[in-house]
Short mmCIF file of all heavy atoms in Angstrom, two decimals:
data_model
loop_
_atom_site.label_atom_id
_atom_site.label_comp_id
_atom_site.label_asym_id
_atom_site.label_seq_id
_atom_site.Cartn_x
_atom_site.Cartn_y
_atom_site.Cartn_z
N GLY K 125 43.64 -5.12 11.79
CA GLY K 125 43.16 -6.17 11.02
C GLY K 125 44.26 -7.20 10.72
O GLY K 125 43.93 -8.35 10.39
N GLY K 126 45.46 -6.75 10.70
CA GLY K 126 46.65 -7.60 10.31
C GLY K 126 46.57 -8.13 8.93
O GLY K 126 46.18 -7.43 8.07
N GLU K 127 46.96 -9.42 8.76
CA GLU K 127 47.10 -9.88 7.40
C GLU K 127 45.57 -9.98 6.74
O GLU K 127 45.44 -9.92 5.45
CB GLU K 127 47.59 -11.29 7.34
CG GLU K 127 49.13 -11.32 7.69
CD GLU K 127 49.77 -12.68 7.39
OE1 GLU K 127 49.02 -13.59 6.94
OE2 GLU K 127 50.96 -12.86 7.69
N ALA K 128 44.63 -10.15 7.58
CA ALA K 128 43.19 -10.19 7.09
C ALA K 128 42.80 -8.89 6.40
O ALA K 128 42.11 -8.96 5.37
CB ALA K 128 42.20 -10.52 8.25
N PHE K 129 43.37 -7.79 6.84
CA PHE K 129 43.10 -6.51 6.17
C PHE K 129 43.56 -6.51 4.70
O PHE K 129 42.80 -6.12 3.91
CB PHE K 129 43.66 -5.44 6.99
CG PHE K 129 43.77 -4.09 6.28
CD1 PHE K 129 42.65 -3.13 6.26
CD2 PHE K 129 44.91 -3.70 5.55
CE1 PHE K 129 42.74 -2.01 5.55
CE2 PHE K 129 44.96 -2.50 4.84
CZ PHE K 129 43.83 -1.60 4.91
N PHE K 130 44.82 -6.91 4.51
CA PHE K 130 45.38 -7.09 3.21
C PHE K 130 44.76 -8.15 2.39
O PHE K 130 44.47 -7.97 1.14
CB PHE K 130 46.95 -7.16 3.28
CG PHE K 130 47.59 -6.04 3.87
CD1 PHE K 130 48.00 -6.06 5.18
CD2 PHE K 130 47.87 -4.91 3.03
CE1 PHE K 130 48.67 -4.94 5.71
CE2 PHE K 130 48.55 -3.85 3.52
CZ PHE K 130 48.84 -3.88 4.81
N ALA K 131 44.33 -9.30 3.03
CA ALA K 131 43.85 -10.43 2.28
C ALA K 131 42.44 -10.07 1.61
O ALA K 131 42.19 -10.49 0.58
CB ALA K 131 43.68 -11.65 3.19
N GLU K 132 41.74 -9.21 2.27
CA GLU K 132 40.40 -8.89 1.79
C GLU K 132 40.62 -7.92 0.44
O GLU K 132 39.65 -7.88 -0.37
CB GLU K 132 39.63 -8.03 2.84
CG GLU K 132 39.21 -8.86 3.91
CD GLU K 132 38.54 -7.94 4.98
OE1 GLU K 132 38.50 -6.69 4.88
OE2 GLU K 132 38.24 -8.50 6.12
N ARG K 133 41.79 -7.30 0.34
CA ARG K 133 41.93 -6.38 -0.79
C ARG K 133 42.97 -6.88 -1.78
O ARG K 133 43.16 -6.41 -2.80
CB ARG K 133 42.53 -5.01 -0.23
CG ARG K 133 41.49 -4.35 0.68
CD ARG K 133 42.12 -3.50 1.68
NE ARG K 133 41.18 -2.61 2.49
CZ ARG K 133 40.45 -3.15 3.51
NH1 ARG K 133 40.81 -4.31 3.93
NH2 ARG K 133 39.64 -2.49 4.24
N LEU K 134 43.76 -7.96 -1.42
CA LEU K 134 44.71 -8.53 -2.38
C LEU K 134 44.38 -9.97 -2.61
O LEU K 134 44.90 -10.95 -1.83
CB LEU K 134 46.09 -8.31 -1.67
CG LEU K 134 46.53 -6.95 -1.40
CD1 LEU K 134 47.86 -6.97 -0.54
CD2 LEU K 134 46.77 -6.16 -2.66
N ILE K 135 43.55 -10.36 -3.44
CA ILE K 135 43.19 -11.63 -3.83
C ILE K 135 43.98 -12.18 -5.08
O ILE K 135 44.16 -11.41 -6.05
CB ILE K 135 41.61 -11.77 -4.14
CG1 ILE K 135 40.86 -11.26 -2.98
CG2 ILE K 135 41.36 -13.22 -4.48
CD1 ILE K 135 41.01 -11.93 -1.74
N TRP K 136 44.59 -13.28 -4.88
CA TRP K 136 45.49 -13.88 -5.91
C TRP K 136 45.01 -15.23 -6.29
O TRP K 136 45.01 -16.20 -5.50
CB TRP K 136 46.88 -13.99 -5.30
CG TRP K 136 47.99 -14.24 -6.34
CD1 TRP K 136 48.49 -13.50 -7.25
CD2 TRP K 136 48.74 -15.44 -6.46
NE1 TRP K 136 49.39 -13.95 -7.98
CE2 TRP K 136 49.68 -15.29 -7.52
CE3 TRP K 136 48.67 -16.68 -5.78
CZ2 TRP K 136 50.57 -16.22 -8.00
CZ3 TRP K 136 49.58 -17.72 -6.19
CH2 TRP K 136 50.59 -17.45 -7.24
N LYS K 137 44.52 -15.35 -7.52
CA LYS K 137 44.10 -16.50 -8.06
C LYS K 137 42.79 -17.11 -7.15
O LYS K 137 42.92 -18.39 -6.80
CB LYS K 137 45.11 -17.62 -8.19
CG LYS K 137 46.20 -17.25 -9.27
CD LYS K 137 47.28 -18.30 -9.43
CE LYS K 137 48.30 -17.89 -10.45
NZ LYS K 137 49.31 -18.96 -10.68
N GLY K 138 42.05 -16.30 -6.64
CA GLY K 138 40.90 -16.66 -5.84
C GLY K 138 41.14 -17.02 -4.50
O GLY K 138 40.37 -17.59 -3.79
N LYS K 139 42.39 -16.74 -3.92
CA LYS K 139 42.69 -17.03 -2.52
C LYS K 139 43.70 -16.08 -1.92
O LYS K 139 44.05 -15.14 -2.68
CB LYS K 139 43.33 -18.47 -2.45
CG LYS K 139 44.56 -18.70 -3.32
CD LYS K 139 44.99 -20.13 -3.27
CE LYS K 139 46.34 -20.29 -4.15
NZ LYS K 139 46.71 -21.75 -4.13
N ARG K 140 44.02 -16.30 -0.71
CA ARG K 140 44.93 -15.34 -0.10
C ARG K 140 46.33 -15.19 -0.87
O ARG K 140 46.68 -16.09 -1.41
CB ARG K 140 45.18 -15.87 1.34
CG ARG K 140 46.27 -14.85 2.05
CD ARG K 140 46.76 -15.65 3.42
NE ARG K 140 47.84 -14.83 3.96
CZ ARG K 140 49.09 -14.79 3.68
NH1 ARG K 140 49.49 -15.55 2.64
NH2 ARG K 140 49.92 -14.13 4.35
N ASP K 141 46.63 -14.04 -0.99
CA ASP K 141 47.90 -13.69 -1.81
C ASP K 141 49.20 -14.06 -1.00
O ASP K 141 49.52 -13.49 -0.05
CB ASP K 141 47.87 -12.28 -2.14
CG ASP K 141 48.83 -11.93 -3.23
OD1 ASP K 141 49.86 -12.66 -3.39
OD2 ASP K 141 48.63 -11.01 -4.00
N PRO K 142 49.90 -15.14 -1.53
CA PRO K 142 51.06 -15.56 -0.87
C PRO K 142 52.24 -14.64 -0.98
O PRO K 142 53.23 -14.87 -0.34
CB PRO K 142 51.37 -17.03 -1.50
CG PRO K 142 50.77 -16.82 -2.90
CD PRO K 142 49.56 -15.94 -2.76
N ARG K 143 52.11 -13.64 -1.80
CA ARG K 143 53.19 -12.72 -1.99
C ARG K 143 53.26 -11.75 -0.90
O ARG K 143 54.28 -10.91 -0.81
CB ARG K 143 53.09 -11.98 -3.35
CG ARG K 143 53.16 -12.96 -4.62
CD ARG K 143 52.77 -12.12 -5.86
NE ARG K 143 51.38 -11.66 -5.83
CZ ARG K 143 50.84 -10.97 -6.80
NH1 ARG K 143 51.59 -10.58 -7.85
NH2 ARG K 143 49.63 -10.61 -6.70
N LEU K 144 52.22 -11.66 -0.04
CA LEU K 144 52.22 -10.59 0.96
C LEU K 144 53.34 -10.64 1.97
O LEU K 144 53.99 -9.62 2.16
CB LEU K 144 50.83 -10.68 1.75
CG LEU K 144 50.64 -9.69 2.91
CD1 LEU K 144 50.64 -8.36 2.39
CD2 LEU K 144 49.41 -10.03 3.63
N ASP K 145 53.68 -11.89 2.50
CA ASP K 145 54.79 -12.04 3.42
C ASP K 145 56.16 -11.56 2.88
O ASP K 145 56.90 -10.75 3.49
CB ASP K 145 54.93 -13.40 3.86
CG ASP K 145 53.82 -13.86 4.93
OD1 ASP K 145 53.22 -13.06 5.44
OD2 ASP K 145 53.59 -15.05 4.89
N THR K 146 56.40 -11.90 1.56
CA THR K 146 57.60 -11.40 0.93
C THR K 146 57.52 -9.82 0.75
O THR K 146 58.59 -9.24 1.05
CB THR K 146 57.77 -12.14 -0.37
OG1 THR K 146 57.92 -13.46 -0.24
CG2 THR K 146 58.99 -11.65 -1.11
N ALA K 147 56.56 -9.31 0.31
CA ALA K 147 56.45 -8.00 0.07
C ALA K 147 56.60 -7.13 1.35
O ALA K 147 57.29 -6.21 1.35
CB ALA K 147 55.05 -7.53 -0.51
N LEU K 148 56.04 -7.52 2.51
CA LEU K 148 56.25 -6.80 3.71
C LEU K 148 57.63 -6.99 4.23
O LEU K 148 58.23 -5.97 4.65
CB LEU K 148 55.23 -7.52 4.82
CG LEU K 148 53.76 -7.18 4.60
CD1 LEU K 148 52.98 -7.92 5.66
CD2 LEU K 148 53.48 -5.68 4.64
N SER K 149 58.26 -8.13 4.01
CA SER K 149 59.68 -8.36 4.40
C SER K 149 60.62 -7.38 3.45
O SER K 149 61.45 -6.76 4.03
CB SER K 149 60.15 -9.78 4.14
OG SER K 149 61.44 -9.94 4.43
N LEU K 150 60.26 -7.29 2.22
CA LEU K 150 61.13 -6.43 1.35
C LEU K 150 60.96 -4.97 1.72
O LEU K 150 61.94 -4.21 1.73
CB LEU K 150 60.50 -6.56 -0.15
CG LEU K 150 61.16 -7.70 -1.00
CD1 LEU K 150 60.38 -7.84 -2.35
CD2 LEU K 150 62.60 -7.68 -1.14
N LEU K 151 59.69 -4.53 2.06
CA LEU K 151 59.46 -3.09 2.40
C LEU K 151 60.32 -2.86 3.73
O LEU K 151 60.81 -1.72 3.89
CB LEU K 151 58.01 -2.82 2.61
CG LEU K 151 57.18 -2.93 1.23
CD1 LEU K 151 55.70 -2.83 1.70
CD2 LEU K 151 57.55 -1.82 0.31
N ASP K 152 60.29 -3.75 4.69
CA ASP K 152 61.11 -3.65 5.82
C ASP K 152 62.60 -3.50 5.59
O ASP K 152 63.31 -2.61 6.09
CB ASP K 152 60.73 -4.66 6.84
CG ASP K 152 61.56 -4.66 8.14
OD1 ASP K 152 61.37 -3.58 8.86
OD2 ASP K 152 62.36 -5.53 8.39
N ARG K 153 63.04 -4.55 4.85
CA ARG K 153 64.53 -4.59 4.47
C ARG K 153 65.00 -3.31 3.80
O ARG K 153 66.13 -2.90 3.94
CB ARG K 153 64.80 -5.77 3.70
CG ARG K 153 64.80 -7.13 4.36
CD ARG K 153 65.37 -8.26 3.49
NE ARG K 153 65.63 -9.48 4.19
CZ ARG K 153 66.24 -10.40 3.67
NH1 ARG K 153 66.83 -10.39 2.48
NH2 ARG K 153 66.32 -11.62 4.36
N PHE K 154 64.11 -2.76 2.90
CA PHE K 154 64.58 -1.57 2.24
C PHE K 154 64.29 -0.23 2.93
O PHE K 154 64.32 0.77 2.27
CB PHE K 154 64.05 -1.60 0.74
CG PHE K 154 64.74 -2.57 -0.16
CD1 PHE K 154 64.46 -3.87 -0.19
CD2 PHE K 154 65.68 -2.06 -1.05
CE1 PHE K 154 65.04 -4.73 -1.10
CE2 PHE K 154 66.39 -2.89 -1.89
CZ PHE K 154 66.02 -4.24 -1.90
N GLY K 155 63.87 -0.30 4.15
CA GLY K 155 63.62 0.85 4.90
C GLY K 155 62.37 1.54 4.59
O GLY K 155 62.30 2.88 4.87
N VAL K 156 61.44 1.06 3.88
CA VAL K 156 60.21 1.79 3.41
C VAL K 156 59.27 1.69 4.64
O VAL K 156 58.45 2.67 4.83
CB VAL K 156 59.56 1.00 2.28
CG1 VAL K 156 58.23 1.77 1.87
CG2 VAL K 156 60.49 1.01 1.03
N THR K 157 59.25 0.70 5.42
CA THR K 157 58.43 0.53 6.59
C THR K 157 59.23 0.32 7.91
O THR K 157 60.30 -0.06 7.87
CB THR K 157 57.40 -0.50 6.41
OG1 THR K 157 58.06 -1.83 6.31
CG2 THR K 157 56.45 -0.32 5.19
N GLN K 158 58.55 0.52 9.06
CA GLN K 158 59.10 -0.02 10.28
C GLN K 158 57.91 -0.49 11.05
O GLN K 158 56.80 -0.41 10.89
CB GLN K 158 59.75 1.19 11.01
CG GLN K 158 58.79 2.30 11.54
CD GLN K 158 59.54 3.34 12.26
OE1 GLN K 158 60.67 3.45 12.39
NE2 GLN K 158 58.67 4.35 12.73
N GLY K 159 58.41 -1.40 12.11
CA GLY K 159 57.36 -2.05 13.08
C GLY K 159 56.82 -3.21 12.27
O GLY K 159 57.49 -3.77 11.29
N SER K 160 55.74 -3.89 12.83
CA SER K 160 55.21 -5.20 12.25
C SER K 160 53.71 -5.20 12.48
O SER K 160 53.21 -4.61 13.40
CB SER K 160 55.94 -6.36 12.75
OG SER K 160 55.63 -6.58 14.10
N LEU K 161 53.08 -6.09 11.71
CA LEU K 161 51.68 -6.25 11.93
C LEU K 161 51.55 -7.06 13.30
O LEU K 161 50.46 -6.89 13.85
CB LEU K 161 51.16 -7.09 10.76
CG LEU K 161 50.98 -6.38 9.46
CD1 LEU K 161 50.40 -7.40 8.31
CD2 LEU K 161 50.03 -5.16 9.55
N GLU K 162 52.48 -7.94 13.55
CA GLU K 162 52.26 -8.76 14.76
C GLU K 162 52.33 -7.88 16.07
O GLU K 162 51.55 -8.13 16.97
CB GLU K 162 53.44 -9.71 14.89
CG GLU K 162 53.38 -10.92 13.83
CD GLU K 162 53.73 -10.53 12.42
OE1 GLU K 162 54.35 -9.42 12.28
OE2 GLU K 162 53.38 -11.24 11.50
N THR K 163 53.03 -6.80 16.00
CA THR K 163 53.08 -5.82 17.13
C THR K 163 52.20 -4.69 16.99
O THR K 163 52.31 -3.68 17.73
CB THR K 163 54.48 -5.45 17.41
OG1 THR K 163 55.07 -4.91 16.24
CG2 THR K 163 55.43 -6.55 17.87
N HIS K 164 51.48 -4.67 15.85
CA HIS K 164 50.40 -3.67 15.65
C HIS K 164 50.96 -2.27 15.45
O HIS K 164 50.29 -1.30 15.82
CB HIS K 164 49.29 -3.65 16.66
CG HIS K 164 48.71 -5.05 16.95
ND1 HIS K 164 48.01 -5.74 15.99
CD2 HIS K 164 48.86 -5.87 18.08
CE1 HIS K 164 47.69 -7.00 16.48
NE2 HIS K 164 48.13 -7.04 17.74
N ASN K 165 52.21 -2.09 15.04
CA ASN K 165 52.77 -0.78 14.85
C ASN K 165 53.50 -0.65 13.54
O ASN K 165 54.50 0.16 13.38
CB ASN K 165 53.73 -0.52 16.02
CG ASN K 165 55.00 -1.48 15.95
OD1 ASN K 165 54.94 -2.53 15.30
ND2 ASN K 165 56.03 -1.18 16.70
N LEU K 166 53.02 -1.29 12.50
CA LEU K 166 53.63 -1.13 11.18
C LEU K 166 53.25 0.13 10.58
O LEU K 166 52.05 0.51 10.55
CB LEU K 166 53.08 -2.29 10.23
CG LEU K 166 53.68 -2.45 8.79
CD1 LEU K 166 55.20 -2.66 8.95
CD2 LEU K 166 52.93 -3.45 8.01
N SER K 167 54.23 0.83 10.03
CA SER K 167 53.99 2.18 9.40
C SER K 167 54.94 2.48 8.25
O SER K 167 56.02 1.90 8.21
CB SER K 167 54.22 3.30 10.51
OG SER K 167 55.46 3.35 11.03
N VAL K 168 54.53 3.36 7.39
CA VAL K 168 55.34 3.72 6.25
C VAL K 168 56.23 4.94 6.69
O VAL K 168 55.76 5.82 7.17
CB VAL K 168 54.51 4.09 5.05
CG1 VAL K 168 55.34 4.70 3.94
CG2 VAL K 168 53.61 3.06 4.59
#
């Protein structure tokens, strides 16, 4: 589902949550996740 999967569950002020990109980047930078939604292999 990509970003749409999270968007359905993370609503911010009645619209798509703009914090998602930053949060995914932080989780990657800090070694919590690997892969990406774009390549369909994001995992914890």
Side-chain angles (χ1 to χ4, degrees):
E127 290 189 4
F129 167 84
F130 292 99
E132 292 173 1
R133 295 158 177 81
L134 301 168
I135 303 300
W136 191 73
K137 297 184 179 179
K139 57 185 178 181
R140 178 192 176 279
D141 196 330
R143 298 173 294 177
L144 178 61
D145 288 340
T146 299
L148 291 175
S149 176
L150 279 172
L151 294 173
D152 176 66
R153 282 191 176 195
F154 281 84
V156 180
T157 61
Q158 66 179 7
S160 71
L161 290 177
E162 289 75 15
T163 53
H164 310 295
N165 64 344
L166 185 64
S167 63
V168 177

